C-alpha cells in the first residue's frame, strides 16, 4: 500500500481504464473530467467512456488483431471490455454495444469505487512532479493541448477526423433496403443494405463529389492551413474524389450482399449498421463526412431506401490530437524525460476505441506500480498490447509518425513461416500471445 495518489486527466476510454486499473492495485486516484461543465464538439453525454462515433469495437475474431487485443484485455480484467460484453448488441462477427448503457456501466463502476475521487473540472496544466496519466483524447481542450505540446516539445499535435451520420430506422423504405450480413455471416438484422443500379450510383457519385462541405473555420480556424485527413477515418466525399470506383471497392462494396429480388450483387451497396439493441438506429458504415448538414440530407437521401430518411445525428468533422510519441514515450507510455508523466489513449498515437483502452490499461498499471515503488511492466511484442506500445514508443519505418490501429503487421513475427496461409498464421499469433498473457500477466499485484 502507499499513501501516494495518482492523477488521471480525462475519463474517456483510456482514462477510465487507467483509473480503474490503478484503483485495482490499491492506489488512490484523483480523476479529472471536464464534462458535464464542458464538452468537446463530439462528446454529448455526461457519462464517462463515451463512444463518439461508431458503436462498434470492431472484430471479435481471434485471427483479427483487434479481436486478439480485446481478448488480451478481457483476460487481464479490463473494465472497458467488461462493460462492452455486458452491453453487447448483435453485430455479426463484430463487438458492438448499446452506447448509453455501455457508458453508464463504466460511470457507475468508477463513481462507486471508494479509491477513485472524481473531480468535474477542466485541467489546464500538467504538474510533472506528480504521478499523472494524461488521457484527454483526440479532442483535448485547447489549454490542455497547449500544455501537452509544451511539455512534449511542441510539434504537430492536431489533425482532422470525421464521424458518420445515424439514421432513424422507422424512416427507411424497406421495400428497397434489405437486411443481410455480408456473405450471410451473423444475424442478418445487424445490417441494412441499400443497393444501387449503375444509373443510381452515377447520380449519387456526381452529387457527392460536388456537394458543399462545411467551412473549416466553423471547426477551428487556426488549423485551416495544416489540414491532414487521417486515412482510417477519411470523409466519404474525400474518398469519392479519389476516383469513380473507390467507393465501390470501399464502403459501398456490393459483394456478398445479393439483392433479394434478383439474387445478384448490385452495382454498389450502402450498408447501415445497427446502433442499438432495439434496432431503431442505424449508422451509415464508412460515411463519416464533413458535408454541411443540408447537403448530407440532400445527397444521402439519394440512396435508394433513404429517400425519406430522418437523421438522428449528422456526420461531423473534428480536430484530432496526438503527440509525436516515438522517442518521447517508453513502452509503458511514460515520458522518457519526465518519468512521473504517462500519456494514454488516442493522444499517444494509438488509433481506435480498443487501442485507446489498451494504452490506458498499460499506463494505468505502470503508474500504480510507480506509486508502489515496483518495477514497471513491459508487455512483449509477441502480444498485441505490447506490439502497440512498442510501435508508439519507437515508431514505424516512416519518419512521419502516424496513428496506428491494432494489426498483425506490428506484432513480433515468427522465426519460421507458419504453414496454412494468413488465417493460420494469425491464429498462431493469437495462440502465442494468449499463452504469454495467461502465464505471466494475470495478477499484477503479484508480479
Ligand atoms: C470524431 C471522431 C470519431 C471517431 N470515431 C471512432 C470510431 O468510430 N471507432 C474507433 O475505434 N475510434 C474512433 N475515434 C478514435 C478514438 O478511438 C476515440 O476518439 C476514443 O474515444 C479515444 O479514446 P481516449 O480515451 O483517448 O479519448 P476520449 O474517449 O475522447 O476521452 C477523453 C476525455 O477527456 C476529457 N477531456 C478533454 N480535455 C480535458 C481537460 N483539459 N480536462 C479534463 N478532461 C478533459 C473529454 O471530455 C473526454 O471525456 C474517433 C475519434 C473522433 C475524434
Amino acid at each position: 500500500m502507499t499513501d501516494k495518489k495518482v492523477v488521471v486527466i480525462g475519463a474517456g476510454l483510456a482514462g477510465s481504464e487507467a483509473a480503474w486499473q490503478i484503483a485495482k492495485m490499491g492506489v488512490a486516484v484523483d480523476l479529472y473530467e471536464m464534462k458535464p461543465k464542458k464538452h468537446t464538439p463530439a462528446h454529448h453525454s455526461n457519462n464517462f467512456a463515451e463512444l463518439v462515433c461508431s458503436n462498434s469495437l470492431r472484430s471479435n475474431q481471434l485471427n483479427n488483431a483487434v479481436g486478439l487485443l480485446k481478448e488480451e484485455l478481457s483476460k487481464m480484467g479490463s473494465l472497458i471490455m467488461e462493460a462492452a460484453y455486458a452491453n453487447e448488441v448483435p453485430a455479426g462477427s463484430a463487438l458492438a454495444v448499446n452506447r448509453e448503457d455501455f457508458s453508464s456501466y463504466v460511470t457507475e463502476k468508477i463513481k462507486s469505487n471508494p479509491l477513485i475521487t472524481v473531480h468535474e473540472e477542466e485541467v489546464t496544466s500538467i504538474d510533472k512532479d506528480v504521478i499523472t496519466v494524461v488521457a484527454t483524447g483526440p479532442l483535448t481542450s485547447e489549454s490542455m493541448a497547449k500544455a501537452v505540446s509544451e511539455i512534449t516539445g511542441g510539434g504537430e499535435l492536431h489533425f482532422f477526423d470525421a464521424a458518420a451520420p445515424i439514421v432513424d430506422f422507422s424512416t427507411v423504405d424497406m421495400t428497397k433496403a434489405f437486411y443481410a450480413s455480408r456473405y450471410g455471416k451473423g444475424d442478418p438484422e445487424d445490417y441494412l443494405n441499400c443497393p444501387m443500379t449503375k444509373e443510381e450510383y452515377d447520380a449519387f457519385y456526381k452529387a457527392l463529389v460536388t456537394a458543399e462541405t462545411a467551412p473549416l473555420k466553423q471547426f477551428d480556424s487556426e488549423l485551416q492551413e495544416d489540414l491532414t485527413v487521417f486515412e482510417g477515418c477519411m470523409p466519404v466525399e474525400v474518398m469519392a474524389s479519389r476516383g469513380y470506383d473507390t467507393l465501390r471497392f470501399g464502403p459501398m462494396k456490393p459483394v456478398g450482399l445479393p439483392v433479394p429480388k434478383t439474387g445478384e450483387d448490385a452495382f454498389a451497396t450502402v450498408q447501415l449498421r445497427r446502433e442499438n439493441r432495439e434496432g431503431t438506429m442505424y449508422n451509415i458504415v464508412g460515411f463519416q463526412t464533413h458535408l454541411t448538414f443540408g447537403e448530407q440530407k440532400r445527397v444521402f437521401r439519394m440512396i435508394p431506401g433513404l429517400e425519406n430518411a430522418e437523421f438522428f445525428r449528422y456526420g461531423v468533422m473534428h480536430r484530432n490530437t496526438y503527440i509525436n510519441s516515438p522517442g518521447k514515450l517508453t513502452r509503458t507510455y511514460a515520458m522518457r524525460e519526465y518519468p512521473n508523466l504517462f500519456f494514454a489513449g488516442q493522444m499517444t498515437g494509438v488509433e481506435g476505441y480498443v487501442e485507446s483502452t489498451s494504452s490506458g490499461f498499460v499506463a494505468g498499471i505502470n503508474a500504480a506500480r510507480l506509486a508502489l515503488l515496483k518495477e514497471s511492466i513491459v508487455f512483449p511484442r509477441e502480444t498485441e498490447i505490447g506490439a502497440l506500445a512498442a510501435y508508439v514508443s519507437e515508431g514505424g519505418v516512416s519518419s512521419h509518425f502516424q496513428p496506428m490501429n491494432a494489426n498483425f503487421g506490428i506484432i513480433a513475427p515468427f522465426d519460421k513461416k507458419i504453414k496454412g496461409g494468413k488465417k493460420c498464421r494469425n491464429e498462431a499469433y493469437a495462440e502465442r500471445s494468449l499463452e504469454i498473457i495467461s502465464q505471466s500477466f494475470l495478477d499484477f499485484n503479484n508480479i
Side-chain angles (χ1 to χ4, degrees), residues 51 55-57 83-85 87-89 91 95-100 102 274-277:
L51 301 178
N55 67 327
S56 169
L57 277 70
Y85 285 112
N87 295 289
E88 189 173 358
V89 295
L95 171 61
V97 301
N98 176 310
R99 67 177 74 227
E100 275 84 28
F102 164 80
R274 177 154 61 179
E275 263 286 315
N276 57 353
R277 211 179 303 245

Side-chain angles (χ1 to χ4, degrees), residues 189-264:
E189 291 194 9
D190 296 348
Y191 291 92
L192 276 179
N193 302 281
C194 300
M196 281 186 187
T197 60
K198 182 173 183 317
E199 293 68 37
E200 286 164 339
Y201 181 80
D202 285 347
F204 173 76
Y205 179 78
K206 198 170 159 208
L208 183 61
V209 292
T210 54
E212 188 192 338
T213 52
L216 280 179
K217 60 177 161 27
Q218 195 173 315
F219 302 99
D220 196 333
S221 56
E222 284 170 28
L223 300 169
Q224 281 186 79
E225 286 169 16
D226 187 26
L227 173 62
T228 317
V229 176
F230 176 54
E231 292 280 326
C233 228
M234 185 185 292
V236 65
E237 63 278 8
V238 175
M239 197 181 285
S241 71
R242 296 200 163 180
Y244 175 79
D245 280 326
T246 311
L247 291 176
R248 298 203 312 120
F249 288 96
M252 293 179 70
K253 192 164 64 179
V255 295
L257 294 168
V259 183
K261 278 181 199 148
T262 63
E264 288 180 11

Side-chain angles (χ1 to χ4, degrees), residues 173-405:
D173 180 353
M174 290 301 286
T175 63
K176 294 183 179 169
F178 64 95
Y179 285 123
S181 288
R182 205 178 293 277
Y183 296 116
K185 283 186 189 166
D187 183 341
E189 291 194 9
D190 296 348
Y191 291 92
L192 276 179
N193 302 281
C194 300
M196 281 186 187
T197 60
K198 182 173 183 317
E199 293 68 37
E200 286 164 339
Y201 181 80
D202 285 347
F204 173 76
Y205 179 78
K206 198 170 159 208
L208 183 61
V209 292
T210 54
E212 188 192 338
T213 52
L216 280 179
K217 60 177 161 27
Q218 195 173 315
F219 302 99
D220 196 333
S221 56
E222 284 170 28
L223 300 169
Q224 281 186 79
E225 286 169 16
D226 187 26
L227 173 62
T228 317
V229 176
F230 176 54
E231 292 280 326
C233 228
M234 185 185 292
V236 65
E237 63 278 8
V238 175
M239 197 181 285
S241 71
R242 296 200 163 180
Y244 175 79
D245 280 326
T246 311
L247 291 176
R248 298 203 312 120
F249 288 96
M252 293 179 70
K253 192 164 64 179
V255 295
L257 294 168
V259 183
K261 278 181 199 148
T262 63
E264 288 180 11
D265 292 340
F267 184 73
T269 298
V270 173
Q271 273 209 310
L272 288 86
R273 183 170 44 227
R274 177 154 61 179
E275 263 286 315
N276 57 353
R277 211 179 303 245
E278 299 74 28
T280 53
M281 299 154 81
Y282 277 78
N283 65 66
I284 315 185
V285 180
F287 271 50
Q288 50 276 9
T289 180
H290 66 110
L291 298 186
T292 63
F293 290 174
E295 289 289 75
Q296 288 185 45
K297 193 168 178 179
R298 179 179 72 83
V299 178
F300 298 158
R301 280 184 166 186
M302 291 173 75
I303 297 168
L306 301 190
E307 292 87 347
N308 296 307
E310 293 296 334
F311 295 87
F312 280 126
R313 194 177 74 192
Y314 284 108
V316 279
M317 185 166 175
H318 291 297
R319 181 167 55 84
N320 204 342
T321 308
Y322 67 93
I323 304 166
N324 188 12
S325 297
K328 291 189 177 136
L329 300 187
T330 68
R331 283 168 68 178
T332 63
Y333 295 94
M335 270 197 85
R336 287 180 204 274
E337 196 175 351
Y338 306 115
N340 278 328
L341 286 190
F342 293 78
F343 287 88
Q346 181 102 356
M347 64 153 34
T348 64
V350 296
E351 165 67 28
Y353 297 149
V354 185
E355 291 83 346
S356 295
T357 302
S358 93
S359 70
F361 186 97
V362 177
I365 56 166
N366 280 297
R369 290 179 74 87
L370 184 61
L372 294 166
L373 305 176
K374 288 187 172 187
E375 252 178 61
S376 48
I377 288 181
V378 174
F379 289 92
R381 284 166 197 269
E382 284 76 11
T383 61
E384 191 61 29
I385 193 170
L388 261 180
Y391 173 82
V392 161
S393 55
E394 290 153 28
V397 284
S398 162
S399 57
H400 178 58
F401 178 62
Q402 284 207 311
M404 186 59 89
N405 276 133

Side-chain angles (χ1 to χ4, degrees), residues 10 12-14 33-34 43 53-54 123 136-138 141 144 345-346 352-353 356:
L13 290 163
E33 168 54 55
M34 67 181 187
H43 287 84
C53 179
S54 165
V123 179
T136 45
S141 71
M144 187 50 132
Q346 181 102 356
Y353 297 149
S356 295

Side-chain angles (χ1 to χ4, degrees), residues 27-167:
V27 178
V29 181
D30 274 320
L31 174 61
Y32 290 84
E33 168 54 55
M34 67 181 187
K35 295 194 298 184
K37 289 183 188 139
K38 187 169 175 178
H39 288 84
T40 76
H43 287 84
H44 304 292
S45 109
N46 291 337
N47 279 329
F48 299 160
E50 184 176 348
L51 301 178
V52 288
C53 179
S54 165
N55 67 327
S56 169
L57 277 70
R58 316 207 307 282
S59 174
N60 228 350
Q61 316 268 294
L62 282 182
N63 58 22
N64 178 295
V66 79
L68 171 61
L69 185 60
K70 283 206 262 303
E71 185 60 19
E72 293 173 0
L73 286 163
S74 288
K75 265 181 171 296
M76 294 189 287
S78 151
L79 172 65
I80 296 296
M81 287 304 122
E82 179 188 311
Y85 285 112
N87 295 289
E88 189 173 358
V89 295
S93 56
L95 171 61
V97 301
N98 176 310
R99 67 177 74 227
E100 275 84 28
D101 294 349
F102 164 80
S103 297
S104 302
Y105 186 101
V106 174
T107 310
E108 166 66 27
K109 283 273 187 178
I110 297 231
K111 287 195 169 166
S112 57
N113 188 313
L115 279 177
I116 305 177
T117 309
V118 175
H119 306 263
E120 289 175 350
E121 56 186 91
E122 180 186 357
V123 179
T124 55
S125 59
I126 300 170
D127 182 349
K128 51 185 185 308
D129 297 324
V130 176
I131 303 176
T132 302
V133 180
V134 182
T136 45
L139 304 168
T140 293
S141 71
E142 257 324 303
S143 48
M144 187 50 132
K146 196 162 169 272
V148 171
S149 174
E150 274 165 19
I151 215 150
T152 58
E156 182 187 290
L157 264 188
H158 298 310
F159 65 108
F160 278 97
D161 221 348
I166 297 179
V167 171

